[in-house]
């Protein structure tokens, strides 16, 4: 089991107003699963994803990642644990504008201190897989939305993570490009990568094995769409 | 319209509180420091201007050249003022002033040593303006045995200044009492001539009747006629020299004044305006230490630098925030505002900042006046901020800072094209960023120049103070004015020698640093004149002061003829050109009396008996006992014990005379008091400059981090650690600081080398001071930037990434 949470709670405090973004969430996600998180705007989907990605810490509750309790990890430990094992894909692509396509994809490997030749090899492999190799020297602004998202996916998979977290990966794309992104994610999942994806689109959610529904920070239902065998 | 601008300004301050606080804090500290500097400079420039006829008061100085020795001195002959009064029509009146050193004064049971007594003749108050609270200026110094006290002193002895007039005081244990004939207002701080008591010259008539034209040991001042020029006086003083001095020169040295000049010598009186004395004097033998105009320039430069640094903060932070303002500018433009109007708006805005900062600066000044006074030994009061000069400077500073800080943002921000702003197509501002980089580099350039210079000044002063003098200046106590012991002086010395703490004692005519005697001597068989400094002391002097014998021996009771012998230093041997000094004899002209031939019995290693700013001069040591000072060499650390024993013995012998002492090390160190004071001031100002520069850097990093939050978020999500994010942000600024450092090296080297050349004994700068300065500034900027960068790096990246 790659992810297991117990009573995960996240409270935001701003100007003395407390918002409970996550309210005692307990979920389990197995290795190789493809899970979609759904729910109305503001129900806590992104918050959950950022805690699962160890970008944020829960206010209370436990989070066991790959058998280790990471919920009390320090900033440094989280950064260490995240590196190389989790890839992120965002709705707004979030490529660094000052860096070329190649450099953007290379970035996670730089932080893992991987040698030059191996980096080049892996970046090119990821770009080829995403079918965007011919644009490797372009800058993000010069690409279409679909192309940018493919670069972002290439960047997410270049360090060969076991888990990919995607927050509305198709939110900014037209249906054709969106479909392509979903296909790529399914392929990655078929190759063994666990995927947790936030989405508003029931159509996209169909690609997942299982759907987790949140409402107002609470877990409402879990529905299994497809058979998944461990 | 102004109201509208005011509203937007206030709105902007409210919206960007952090930036407004940084701007105003930097500007107000900058303005406050520059106002302190302005007050310091205005005070320094005001010296002696309280004299009603100050622009017509001159001091006579002496330029001399004897062989290779050049003499510039404020000492003149006691004969001069009379001659100026009676024989020089361009002079209204002239006065003679003599430093009287430490003087004991007694009234009933109140007895103290006064260090600032001077002797003056009755023309004193006609030349200078030192108003009398009680007594009559015309007559106060006329009679023998008259004394004029300052108000403070009158209160000290009589409890009330109004009681002083007509009272009788015993001065220097004299048998005749002095009558208080006047109470003067305390001498202003900005007077080059400082005194607490004025003794009438005629009190010492017998002694001063011995004054001769060749003897220069008093200060002469004169008041120039309203339509005369000092050049006329200079010409006529030349006439006086020809008339009076030249014959004496011929009598003693076998050459008239003209013959002496023909042989390359010089001896000439000239006039120095009193306004020049405090800052522009190159003459030695001042009664009080004076200032130096180069320090005024340095302070001025630092003041300007600090204001520039603070203004740059304003420029950088306003342009950095330009994206926010661009929309406002675009909107105003579409509504018909011209560029001029917009520029005006931004200038008014920076002016508002500048004025607000000035108000806070006044508050800072108010709070810091006591610390400032402590630091500078000045007596500033808050009211002096409101004198017209200072107020005009403040207004000028506010105005210049407002324009300087506001102009670049104004021109930059109003240059946007409306259409680009509306479309949100604002270029990331790479040119603007480059300009900011240049400005930050400049700020750090200034800071680094100040850091390294201050370090070098500190190193030099420390070196000068710790330098081996050639005598052991520590643990030597001087008993001052020991002549007041009268016949008891031997007994006193013997009593001190009996204590185990006392290693040795010696009578001496002079307390180092300095000697009060410089005269012309010759080597027997040689017609050339040589100027030698001299002092006289007894057998134990060498042992007590701890200088070393190079050849021969010091005075000894075993050789009765030693009392007429001479000991010289190595510089004298060089000056005389001797190869076998112990076979030489010195001709001592001995004033008006019979000349004496003194056999050289010893040569001492050169030691520093004067200021460390001067080379070691030729020195002649003569024998004498029962002199005005006693030097006591003691062992151990307990100097208080030694003082109390010396005082106890003193009181046994002369209970009515106050006991007074000083330490040789203090007197040497006090030569550097003005430098130390400036050192403290420079250090403080350097600190403030750096602080303001760091404030700017702090704000700029906050801005950069804000601008790059998204990038920081992405990098973090991809695995960058806090440290790596930190490096990302600090790298950019470190580069600038490094550039500033490299650019600072040469100018600092050049400037400080020039300064160090003022010292006869100077340090070499060494690369370490520079390396240290560079490292310190790197660390300071790194810490400042990191402070902000850490905050950015620790934020949850999801916040930055989730919304587009
Ligand atoms: N930094 C924050 N401070 C305070 N409240 C926050 C913060 N971030 C999120 N919230 C609140 O937490 C709740 C959950 O936010 P979250 O971003 O997880 O919603 P979401 O389900 O991803 O919504 P959307 O579908 O619109 O992206 C919301 O009510 C939001 O206002
Ligand atoms: Mg969301």
């Amino acid at each position: 089991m790659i992810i297991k949470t117990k009573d995960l709670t996240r409270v935001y405090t701003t100007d003395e107003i407390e918002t409970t973004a996550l309210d005692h969430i307990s979920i389990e996600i197995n290795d190789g699963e493809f899970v979609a998180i759904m729910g109305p705007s503001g129900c806590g989907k992104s918050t959950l994803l950022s805690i699962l990605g160890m970008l944020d810490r829960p206010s209370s509750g436990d989070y066991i990642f790959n058998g280790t309790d990471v919920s009390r990890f320090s900033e440094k430990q989280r950064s260490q644990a995240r590196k190389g094992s989790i890839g992120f894909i965002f709705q707004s692509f979030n490529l660094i504008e000052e860096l070329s396509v190649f450099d953007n994809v290379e970035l996670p490997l730089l932080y893992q201190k991987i040698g030059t030749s191996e980096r080049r090899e892996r970046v090119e492999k990821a770009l080829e897989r995403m079918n965007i190799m011919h644009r490797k020297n372009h800058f993000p602004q010069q690409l279409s939305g679909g192309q940018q998202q493919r670069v972002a996916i290439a960047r997410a998979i270049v360090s060969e993570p076991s888990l990919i977290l995607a927050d509305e990966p198709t939110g900014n794309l037209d249906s054709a490009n969106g479909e392509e992104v979903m296909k790529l994610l399914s392929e990655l999942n078929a190759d063994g990568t666990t995927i947790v994806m936030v989405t508003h689109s029931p159509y996209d959610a169909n690609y997942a094995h299982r759907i987790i529904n949140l409402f107002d920070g609470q877990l409402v239902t879990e529905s299994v769409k497809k058979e998944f065998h461990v | 319209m102004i109201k509208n601008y005011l509203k937007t300004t206030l709105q902007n301050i409210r919206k960007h509180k952090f930036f407004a606080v940084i701007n105003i804090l930097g500007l107000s500290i900058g303005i406050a420091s520059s106002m302190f500097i302005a007050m310091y400079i205005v005070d320094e420039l005001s010296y002696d201007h309280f004299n009603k006829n100050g622009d017509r008061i001159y001091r006579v100085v002496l330029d001399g050249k004897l062989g290779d020795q050049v003499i510039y001195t404020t000492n003149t002959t006691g004969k001069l003022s009379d001659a100026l009064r009676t024989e020089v029509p361009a002079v209204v009146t002239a006065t003679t002033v003599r430093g009287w050193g430490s003087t004991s004064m007694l009234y009933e049971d109140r007895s103290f040593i006064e260090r600032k007594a001077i002797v003056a003749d009755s023309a004193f108050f006609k030349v200078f303006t030192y108003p009398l609270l009680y007594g009559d200026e015309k007559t106060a110094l006329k009679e023998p045995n008259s004394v004029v006290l300052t108000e403070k002193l009158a209160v000290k002895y009589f409890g009330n200044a109004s009681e002083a007039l007509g009272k009788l005081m015993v001065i220097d244990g004299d048998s005749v009492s002095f009558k208080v004939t006047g109470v003067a207002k305390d001498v202003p701080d900005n007077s080059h001539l400082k005194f607490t008591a004025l003794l009438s010259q005629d009190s010492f008539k017998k002694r001063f009747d011995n004054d001769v034209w060749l003897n220069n040991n008093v200060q002469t001042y004169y008041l120039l006629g309203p339509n005369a020029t000092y050049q006329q006086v200079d010409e006529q003083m030349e006439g006086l020299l020809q008339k009076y001095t030249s014959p004496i020169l011929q009598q003693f040295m076998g050459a008239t004044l003209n013959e002496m000049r023909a042989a390359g010598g010089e001896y000439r009186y000239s006039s120095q305006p009193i306004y020049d004395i405090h800052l522009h004097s190159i003459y030695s033998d001042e009664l009080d230490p004076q200032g130096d105009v180069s320090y005024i320039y340095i302070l001025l430069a630092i003041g300007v630098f600090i204001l520039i640094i603070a203004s740059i903060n304003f420029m950088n932070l306003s342009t950095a925030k330009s994206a926010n303002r661009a929309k406002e500018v675009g909107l105003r433009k579409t509504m018909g505002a011209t560029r001029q109007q917009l520029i005006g708006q931004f200038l008014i805005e920076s002016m508002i900042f500048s004025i607000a900062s000035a108000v806070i600066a006044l508050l800072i000044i108010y709070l810091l006046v006591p610390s400032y006074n402590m630091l500078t030994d000045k007596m500033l009061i808050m009211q002096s901020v409101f004198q017209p000069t200072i107020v005009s400077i403040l207004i000028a500073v506010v105005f210049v800072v407002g324009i300087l800080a506001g102009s670049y943002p104004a021109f930059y921000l109003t240059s946007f094209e409306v259409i680009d702003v509306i479309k949100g197509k604002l270029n990331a501002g790479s040119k603007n960023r480059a300009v900011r980089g240049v400005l930050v580099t400049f700020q750090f350039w200034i800071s680094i120049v100040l850091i390294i210079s201050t370090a070098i000044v500190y190193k030099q002063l420390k070196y000068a103070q710790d330098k081996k003098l050639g005598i052991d200046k520590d643990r030597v106590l001087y008993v001052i004015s020991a002549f007041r012991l009268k016949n008891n002086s031997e007994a006193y010395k013997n009593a001190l020698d009996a204590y185990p703490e006392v290693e040795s004692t010696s009578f001496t005519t002079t307390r180092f640093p300095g000697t009060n005697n410089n005269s012309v001597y010759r080597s027997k068989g040689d017609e050339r004149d040589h100027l030698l400094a001299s002092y006289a002391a007894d057998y134990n002097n060498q042992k007590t002061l701890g200088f070393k014998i190079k050849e021969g021996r010091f005075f000894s009771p075993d050789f009765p003829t030693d009392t007429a012998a001479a000991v010289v230093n190595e510089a004298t041997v060089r000056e005389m050109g001797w190869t076998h000094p112990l076979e030489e004899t010195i001709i001592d002209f001995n004033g008006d009396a019979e000349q004496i031939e003194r056999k050289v019995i010893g040569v001492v290693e050169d030691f520093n008996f004067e200021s460390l700013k001067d080379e070691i001069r030729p020195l002649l040591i003569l024998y004498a006992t029962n002199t005005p000072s006693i030097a006591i060499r003691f062992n151990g650390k307990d100097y208080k014990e030694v003082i109390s024993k010396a005082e106890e013995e003193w009181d046994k012998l002369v209970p009515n005379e106050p006991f007074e002492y000083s330490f040789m090390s203090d007197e040497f160190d006090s030569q550097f008091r003005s430098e130390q004071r400036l050192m403290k001031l420079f250090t403080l100002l350097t600190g403030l400059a750096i602080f303001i520069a760091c404030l700017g850097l702090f704000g700029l990093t906050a801005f950069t981090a804000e601008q790059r939050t998204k990038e920081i978020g992405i990098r973090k999500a991809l695995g960058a650690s806090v440290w790596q994010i930190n490096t990302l942000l600090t790298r950019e600024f470190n580069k600038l600081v490094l550039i500033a450092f490299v650019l600072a090296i040469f100018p600092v080297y050049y400037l400080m080398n020039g300064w160090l050349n003022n010292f006869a004994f100077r340090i070499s700068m060494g690369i370490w001071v520079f390396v240290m300065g560079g490292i310190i500034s790197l660390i300071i900027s790194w810490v400042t930037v990191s402070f902000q960068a850490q905050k950015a790096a620790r934020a949850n990246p999801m916040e930055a990434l989730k919304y587009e």
Side-chain angles (χ1 to χ4, degrees):
Chain A
M1 195 178 303
I2 187 162
I3 288 170
K4 178 175 165 44
T5 72
K6 190 158 183 299
D7 293 333
L8 209 58
T9 301
R10 177 67 166 98
V11 182
Y12 289 111
T13 315
T14 38
D15 293 339
E16 286 159 26
I17 298 169
E18 287 199 349
T19 316
T20 307
L22 294 179
D23 193 0
H24 294 88
I25 303 284
S26 302
I27 51 171
E28 292 180 359
I29 296 172
N30 287 313
D31 287 24
E33 240 188 315
F34 188 156
V35 177
I37 301 175
M38 297 190 77
S41 186
C43 68
K45 305 182 293 293
S46 296
T47 305
L48 178 60
L49 213 59
S50 70
I51 291 175
L52 295 183
M54 284 182 263
L55 297 174
D56 192 12
R57 263 205 290 203
S59 310
S60 65
D62 298 328
Y63 173 25
I64 318 289
F65 178 73
N66 263 340
T68 315
D69 186 352
V70 298
S71 46
R72 304 288 170 267
F73 265 23
S74 72
E75 170 82 47
K76 201 169 165 181
Q77 287 170 308
R78 278 186 280 135
S79 156
Q80 211 58 39
R82 189 165 68 223
K83 219 187 276 187
S85 50
I86 305 178
F88 293 89
I89 301 170
F90 305 97
Q91 175 181 3
S92 51
F93 323 137
N94 281 328
L95 300 174
I96 294 177
E97 284 169 27
E98 289 80 9
L99 299 180
S100 69
V101 164
F102 185 93
D103 293 343
N104 261 292
V105 176
E106 190 188 25
L107 209 51
L109 301 181
L110 284 177
Y111 290 123
Q112 289 172 50
K113 306 217 161 62
I114 287 170
T116 325
S117 53
E118 193 189 338
R119 282 205 308 267
R120 163 163 289 275
E121 212 171 281
R122 283 168 69 170
V123 171
E124 283 177 354
K125 203 172 105 196
L127 287 173
E128 251 150 33
R129 182 157 187 194
M130 289 303 124
N131 212 0
I132 196 82
M133 187 58 189
H134 56 295
R135 297 287 192 150
K136 70 172 182 176
N137 291 324
H138 285 75
F139 284 87
Q141 309 88 287
Q142 299 168 315
L143 303 180
S144 74
Q147 288 168 328
Q148 286 191 42
Q149 195 60 303
R150 281 182 355 236
V151 175
I153 298 174
R155 188 178 62 183
I157 62 168
V158 74
S159 54
E160 291 161 8
S162 48
L163 172 66
I164 286 183
L165 299 173
D167 196 350
E168 300 183 45
T170 62
N172 281 5
L173 300 176
D174 61 28
S175 54
N177 276 311
E179 174 117 23
E180 196 185 336
V181 164
M182 287 317 300
K183 286 214 170 93
L184 286 168
L185 289 177
S186 292
E187 273 175 45
L188 289 170
N189 179 245
D191 290 349
T193 312
T194 313
I195 294 180
V196 180
M197 174 183 76
V198 167
T199 184
H200 282 291
S201 146
Y203 183 77
D204 288 351
N206 267 329
Y207 284 88
H209 302 128
R210 178 153 66 106
I211 298 173
I212 294 174
N213 279 298
L214 293 183
F215 186 80
D216 225 0
Q218 288 174 327
L219 188 67
V220 199
T221 52
E222 281 188 74
S223 48
V224 179
K225 286 274 166 191
K226 292 181 185 169
E227 274 310 305
F228 174 75
H229 303 286
V230 183
Chain B
M1 201 48 149
I2 298 275
K3 204 170 144 198
N4 186 299
Y5 294 164
L6 257 171
K7 263 192 203 156
T8 27
T9 306
L10 288 178
Q11 191 53 35
N12 256 304
I13 293 178
R14 208 169 301 143
K15 235 166 78 190
H16 307 293
K17 278 193 209 90
F18 174 70
F19 289 87
V21 165
I22 285 188
N23 270 330
I24 291 181
L25 190 62
L27 279 175
S28 52
I29 294 175
I31 292 176
S33 0
S34 63
M35 289 325 289
F36 274 123
I37 291 174
M39 286 186 276
Y40 187 92
I41 293 177
V42 165
D43 182 64
E44 289 281 298
L45 295 178
S46 74
Y47 263 66
D48 297 310
H49 282 257
F50 58 84
N51 282 292
K52 242 185 322 204
N53 298 317
D55 54 341
R56 291 195 282 128
I57 304 177
Y58 291 82
R59 178 170 72 176
V60 181
V61 290
L62 172 64
D63 298 350
K65 187 158 184 271
L66 213 66
D68 292 335
Q69 284 173 279
V70 183
I71 308 149
Y72 295 109
T73 174
T74 63
N75 282 343
T76 51
T77 168
K79 293 282 188 205
L80 186 58
S81 65
D82 266 343
L84 283 173
R85 250 192 313 259
T86 53
E87 297 181 43
V88 180
V91 166
V92 177
T93 188
T95 185
T96 296
V97 172
R98 301 165 202 255
W100 210 238
S102 297
T103 304
S104 78
M105 293 191 165
L106 169 88
Y107 174 73
E108 290 179 351
D109 59 338
R110 264 164 254 180
S111 144
F112 304 96
I113 293 275
E114 302 306 337
R115 296 212 178 204
K116 288 256 166 276
I118 61 177
V119 173
D121 60 27
S122 58
F124 185 80
F125 291 114
K126 286 197 199 113
V127 175
F128 299 112
T129 310
Y130 294 107
L132 291 189
L133 297 170
Y134 304 98
D136 181 0
E137 288 184 356
K138 290 199 189 71
T139 57
L141 292 170
K142 230 182 186 119
E143 300 300 318
N145 300 315
S146 304
V147 60
V148 172
L149 304 178
T150 56
E151 189 178 5
K152 208 193 234 153
L153 223 58
V155 170
K156 183 160 125 188
Y157 285 94
F158 306 105
N160 194 332
S162 59
E163 313 254 293
L165 221 55
K167 292 272 175 15
L168 294 177
M169 305 182 82
V170 179
I171 292 180
D172 277 342
D174 224 322
S175 46
V176 192
S177 293
F178 279 66
K179 188 163 122 188
V180 179
T181 52
V183 176
K185 253 168 68 178
D186 287 337
V187 175
D189 261 332
N190 57 358
S191 168
H192 84 278
L193 187 63
K194 298 201 166 71
F195 60 87
T196 53
L198 287 166
L199 309 175
S200 68
Q201 174 165 294
D202 283 353
S203 321
F204 312 95
K205 202 165 171 20
K206 265 207 207 110
R207 192 176 332 178
F208 299 153
D209 278 349
N210 292 334
D211 280 347
V212 288
W213 273 88
L214 207 50
N215 239 356
N216 293 297
N217 49 15
V218 308
Q219 318 254 312
T220 306
Y221 296 85
Y222 68 83
L223 179 64
L224 187 68
N227 300 313
T229 65
Y230 73 86
Q231 286 90 346
Q232 292 169 335
V233 179
D234 284 358
E235 262 167 48
Q236 305 202 36
M237 283 197 292
E238 171 62 17
L240 296 175
L241 281 176
Q242 293 291 354
K243 184 171 162 191
Y244 297 111
T245 312
S246 185
I248 306 176
L249 271 173
Q250 189 172 26
Q251 184 192 336
F252 285 106
M253 312 204 168
T256 63
L257 186 57
N258 288 339
E259 284 165 358
M260 175 191 167
R261 284 185 188 147
E266 182 55 291
Y267 194 94
R268 191 183 298 279
Y269 287 132
S270 58
S271 308
Q272 179 183 39
I274 57 162
Y275 290 167
D276 282 356
I277 293 177
H278 180 61
L279 291 177
H280 297 279
S281 188
I282 52 156
Y283 292 90
S284 56
D285 306 305
E286 294 282 356
L287 291 181
D288 290 295
Q290 300 301 330
D292 184 340
V293 75
S294 57
Y295 293 127
I296 300 289
Y297 293 133
I298 295 174
L299 280 176
L300 194 65
I302 297 182
V304 170
F305 275 161
I306 288 183
L307 284 178
I308 292 178
I309 292 180
S311 302
I312 287 178
N313 281 356
F314 187 90
M315 293 185 216
N316 275 346
L317 297 180
S318 342
T319 54
K321 280 265 151 200
S322 62
N324 304 60
R325 296 307 294 275
K327 208 178 226 156
E328 181 198 332
V329 171
L331 282 172
R332 282 184 188 271
K333 274 191 177 173
T334 49
M335 288 180 295
T338 64
R339 188 160 178 210
Q340 278 81 351
Q341 281 173 324
L342 288 167
I343 288 175
Q345 181 196 338
F346 282 108
L347 286 180
I348 287 172
E349 193 170 312
S350 62
M351 207 62 88
I352 292 169
F353 269 89
S354 183
I355 292 169
S357 307
V359 172
I360 296 173
L362 284 176
L363 191 77
I364 296 176
I365 293 171
Y366 175 75
L367 293 173
L368 292 186
V369 157
S371 331
Y372 168 85
N373 283 340
M374 227 162 63
L375 197 70
T376 57
D377 276 357
K378 298 226 180 261
M379 305 278 233
L380 198 78
I381 44 170
M382 189 59 195
Q383 277 86 324
S384 53
V385 177
F386 298 107
Q387 55 180 303
T389 348
I390 299 293
V391 170
S392 347
I393 294 174
L394 178 63
I395 292 172
V397 163
V398 167
F399 198 75
V400 170
V401 165
I403 298 285
L404 183 72
S407 53
Y408 172 60
F411 285 95
Y412 175 73
L413 289 172
T414 55
S415 68
F416 301 135
E417 291 299 328
V418 181
I419 187 76
D420 291 342
V421 175
I422 306 288
K423 279 189 185 160
K425 229 174 68 182
L426 260 185
N427 156 328
S430 59
K431 184 170 130 242
N432 175 29
R433 199 150 121 191
V435 173
R436 276 203 298 277
V438 170
L439 292 175
V440 168
T441 309
F442 185 54
Q443 286 182 312
F444 270 82
W445 181 83
I446 295 174
S447 305
I448 292 168
V449 166
L450 290 177
I451 293 176
I452 301 177
S453 306
T454 309
I456 292 173
V457 171
Y458 176 80
K459 213 174 139 187
Q460 168 66 23
L461 290 182
K462 182 136 177 50
Y463 167 80
Q465 279 179 50
D466 295 349
K467 181 170 164 21
K468 267 188 84 77
L469 298 171
I471 45 178
D472 186 359
K473 70 175 169 158
D474 296 317
R475 285 177 292 121
V476 174
L477 181 77
Y478 280 121
V479 175
I480 297 175
S481 301
F483 58 84
R484 288 174 289 130
L485 289 161
K486 303 231 168 76
N487 306 329
N488 297 314
S489 56
E490 278 300 333
Y492 181 64
K493 185 172 172 305
N494 292 338
L496 291 178
D497 279 331
Y499 284 109
E501 294 90 345
V502 173
E503 278 180 7
S504 122
T505 58
S506 161
F507 279 111
T508 169
T509 53
T510 190
R511 303 197 309 271
F512 292 149
T515 67
N516 37 22
N517 215 332
N518 298 295
S519 307
V520 172
Y521 298 87
R522 278 186 195 163
S523 175
K524 195 178 177 184
D526 190 342
E527 293 295 290
R528 284 174 306 165
D529 299 322
H530 300 281
L531 191 70
L532 306 183
S534 71
Y535 76 97
D538 66 6
Y539 303 120
N540 285 330
N541 192 247
Q542 184 232 337
K543 188 177 161 208
T544 308
L545 299 187
F547 50 81
K548 295 203 170 58
I549 300 286
K550 185 152 182 274
E551 265 183 81
R553 58 186 173 78
F554 201 67
F555 303 115
S556 155
D558 302 339
F559 298 85
T561 51
D562 272 7
T563 52
V567 172
V568 296
N569 69 353
E570 294 170 284
T572 304
V573 175
R574 283 193 298 273
E575 166 77 17
M576 297 289 195
W578 293 334
T579 34
H580 302 292
L582 296 183
E583 293 162 17
E584 302 285 352
T585 300
I586 283 179
I587 311 282
D588 182 346
F589 293 102
N590 199 21
D592 286 344
E594 190 86 351
Q595 73 180 40
I596 303 172
E597 296 198 354
R598 297 184 182 276
K599 257 196 75 55
V600 176
I601 57 163
V603 178
V604 302
E605 282 181 15
D606 278 343
F607 63 86
N608 247 298
F609 58 95
E610 290 177 301
S611 161
L612 283 159
K613 288 177 191 163
D614 306 320
E615 300 279 0
I616 296 174
R617 293 195 298 143
L619 175 71
L620 171 67
I621 309 174
L622 305 174
Y623 175 82
T625 187
N626 295 333
T627 58
S629 300
I630 301 174
I632 304 169
R633 155 87 48 203
F634 56 92
N635 50 37
K637 288 216 165 54
D638 196 357
Y639 63 92
K640 285 203 183 102
E641 178 75 14
V642 177
I643 294 170
S644 75
K645 281 176 176 161
E647 180 160 20
E648 197 177 297
E649 293 299 333
W650 176 279
D651 288 341
K652 276 188 208 161
L653 297 167
V654 277
N656 286 329
E657 290 291 342
F659 170 75
E660 210 200 356
Y661 65 90
S662 68
F663 285 99
M664 178 148 64
S665 55
D666 287 349
E667 299 212 3
F668 267 102
D669 293 348
S670 74
Q671 290 184 327
F672 296 96
R673 200 166 293 150
S674 69
E675 272 90 355
Q676 276 169 338
R677 204 164 61 202
L678 278 160
M679 180 70 219
K680 278 190 255 169
L681 200 60
F682 288 162
T683 311
L684 181 73
L685 291 172
T686 303
L688 284 176
I690 296 167
F691 178 72
I692 300 173
C694 285
L695 267 182
L697 203 54
F698 192 69
L700 217 48
T701 322
F703 165 76
T704 314
E706 183 185 305
Q707 209 182 32
R708 293 173 79 171
T709 24
K710 197 173 138 193
E711 182 192 336
I712 292 169
I714 297 169
R715 286 179 183 271
K716 264 192 88 174
L718 297 180
S721 65
V722 171
W723 182 256
Q724 279 162 326
I725 300 290
N726 197 35
T727 310
L728 182 76
L729 289 168
T730 49
R731 197 168 40 200
E732 184 183 332
F733 292 108
N734 284 346
K735 219 163 49 196
L736 300 181
V737 173
L738 269 179
I739 294 172
F741 171 64
V742 171
L743 292 178
I745 293 175
F746 181 71
V748 170
Y749 182 84
Y750 180 79
L751 276 173
M752 292 323 285
N753 205 32
W755 180 74
L756 287 172
N757 283 337
N758 287 333
F759 292 85
F761 304 93
R762 53 159 284 183
I763 53 163
S764 64
M765 281 179 256
I767 52 167
W768 281 110
V769 187
F770 288 88
V771 173
M772 238 188 43
I775 291 177
I776 288 176
S777 41
L778 263 180
I779 291 177
I780 290 176
S781 64
W782 185 84
V783 168
T784 309
V785 173
S786 294
F787 201 80
Q788 284 289 355
Q790 287 284 327
K791 220 165 77 183
R794 286 185 186 282
N796 176 7
M798 213 57 179
E799 304 281 314
L801 301 178
K802 63 182 167 187
Y803 306 109
E804 179 65 322

